[in-house]
Amino acid sequence: MAQTGAELLRVTVNTPRAAQAVPLLRTLLNDMGINTPLVGDFHYNGHKLLSSYPECAKALDKYRINPGNVGRGNAHDTHFAAMVKTALEYGKAVRIGVNWGSLDQELLLRLMDENGKQKKPRDADEVLREALVQSALSSAAAAERLGLNDIVLSCKTSRLPDLLAVYRKLATACDYPLHLGLTEAGMGIRGISASSAALAVLLAEGIGDTIRASLTPAPGGERTDEVRLCCELLQSLGLRSFSPQVAACPGCGRTTGDFFRRLAADIETHIKNRLPEWKKNYPGVEELKIAVMGCVVNGPGKSRHADIGISLPGSGERPVAPVFVDGEKVTALKGDTIADDFIQMLEEYIAKRYG
């Protein structure tokens, strides 16, 4: 996850064995040169694990506390306070992470009862959203009363309209950093589209400080797809740059061949393989814009707007592909080595511009 680009690593700490493993994990990551912060996600028994395994408490950089699963009644406040005091003792941050699947039932029932007594009761979903926000804010206030200032809030739901409403309300009600995520977004295209829609809207409104895409991996699939999605989303919004961007046309009636698709794929693969070394030797290469266009209709114009771009001939056109560098046509490639020639030009351009 870290090598893919994750800037926070959350691990579940739900058993003594898991707590014992955290310091070892920190050491292993450090030995690999990975200093990415670790966030411990606690379920029900976090107060016990943090007190019983101080090395775990020290090794973590942040504790994630869900107010809905730290206990009920008096135990809720006692267990919550114990975790916050441990965070204070070791100088750790806390993410108060409210989740609609494990919302504080006592709070929800109280709000439902109050709503039912109104002359015009609100919709149940509206009450649920209010419960999420109240749970986060009241927990943050309780943590502050104990002396904690390093607080992050999250209120995750699995329904996009609820998520937007909750975070908009939360953003206007407090100044805490907010962690965004559409929980249980799903698998494949559905999960990608739902997560992207939810996060993009909020980020475009200036809401959110950290993000997570909660994708269900396909059998045998990689969890790292979550990180790639977040990186691509932030880069598409112009908020961060993680890798050179390749603009490629979708194809149309003028591109009946698949050469431009194969060239775009080859360039994406080349970037992926070379990026670690590029980042090391060429600071700023993440900002690079590349265009791979399929024909001479829109191709030259799009290529001129990239730092370096190629416009392949369309169906029936002469097998000549003009290359544009910094808006100017510099050459035209042809023959069977177009792909290799363009990749070589790309390498030379990067070395000259960023070297």
Side-chain angles (χ1 to χ4, degrees), residues 38-51:
L38 285 176
V39 182
D41 184 23
F42 294 95
H43 304 164
Y44 305 106
N45 56 355
H47 59 292
K48 292 182 179 179
L49 295 176
L50 286 172
S51 62

Side-chain angles (χ1 to χ4, degrees), residues 276-296:
E277 186 174 343
W278 283 349
K279 284 185 175 181
K280 199 180 300 180
N281 299 327
Y282 305 121
V285 71
E286 300 91 344
E287 304 284 346
L288 182 67
K289 293 179 175 58
I290 305 165
V292 180
M293 306 306 295
C295 81
V296 295

Side-chain angles (χ1 to χ4, degrees), residues 182-195:
L182 184 76
T183 191
E184 298 117 18
M187 181 182 288
I189 292 296
R190 186 198 179 282
I192 291 171
S193 59
S195 288

Side-chain angles (χ1 to χ4, degrees), residues 306-328:
D307 296 311
I308 179 170
I310 184 170
S311 179
L312 296 172
S315 305
E317 307 286 352
R318 290 186 302 125
V320 176
V323 176
F324 297 83
V325 174
D326 296 328
E328 300 292 333

Side-chain angles (χ1 to χ4, degrees), residues 258-289:
D258 68 348
F259 181 71
F260 78 97
R261 284 179 282 175
R262 287 187 281 115
L263 177 59
D266 288 345
I267 292 172
E268 291 276 12
T269 300
H270 185 78
I271 290 173
K272 180 180 178 181
N273 293 337
R274 295 282 287 138
L275 191 57
E277 186 174 343
W278 283 349
K279 284 185 175 181
K280 199 180 300 180
N281 299 327
Y282 305 121
V285 71
E286 300 91 344
E287 304 284 346
L288 182 67
K289 293 179 175 58

Side-chain angles (χ1 to χ4, degrees), residues 50-226:
L50 286 172
S51 62
S52 300
Y53 300 93
E55 293 306 311
C56 168
K58 295 176 188 176
L60 292 168
D61 297 278
K62 184 190 295 182
Y63 308 155
R64 188 263 178 156
I65 305 176
N66 183 344
N69 63 23
V70 295
R72 296 200 174 192
N74 293 332
H76 174 282
D77 295 343
T78 302
H79 296 169
F80 181 83
M83 298 181 74
V84 170
K85 288 176 181 177
T86 303
L88 285 166
E89 180 181 356
Y90 296 114
K92 307 299 182 180
V94 168
R95 173 160 73 88
I96 296 172
V98 182
N99 190 302
W100 79 324
S102 53
L103 185 59
D104 184 338
Q105 292 302 302
E106 292 177 1
L107 171 62
L108 180 59
L109 288 173
R110 176 171 63 80
L111 292 177
M112 287 291 190
D113 286 342
E114 291 175 359
N115 183 58
K117 296 174 182 177
Q118 302 299 315
K119 290 182 179 180
K120 292 183 178 181
R122 293 173 295 168
D123 182 85
D125 287 341
E126 188 177 345
V127 178
L128 174 63
R129 292 194 288 266
E130 181 184 346
L132 287 164
V133 173
Q134 278 200 27
S135 177
L137 293 177
S138 61
S139 297
E144 281 199 353
R145 287 194 294 271
L146 292 167
L148 185 68
N149 294 313
D150 295 329
I151 300 171
V152 179
L153 298 186
S154 65
C155 283
K156 293 185 178 180
T157 80
S158 60
R159 295 189 304 207
L160 193 150
D162 290 331
L163 191 80
L164 299 181
V166 164
Y167 274 97
R168 283 167 177 158
K169 189 169 185 177
L170 203 57
T172 59
C174 71
D175 293 322
Y176 297 112
L178 300 180
H179 172 69
L180 309 183
L182 184 76
T183 191
E184 298 117 18
M187 181 182 288
I189 292 296
R190 186 198 179 282
I192 291 171
S193 59
S195 288
S196 299
L199 297 178
V201 170
L202 292 170
L203 290 169
E205 294 178 5
I207 298 173
D209 298 274
T210 58
I211 63 173
R212 189 255 172 115
S214 300
L215 303 180
T216 303
E222 297 182 2
R223 179 70 71 181
T224 49
D225 287 346
E226 294 185 355

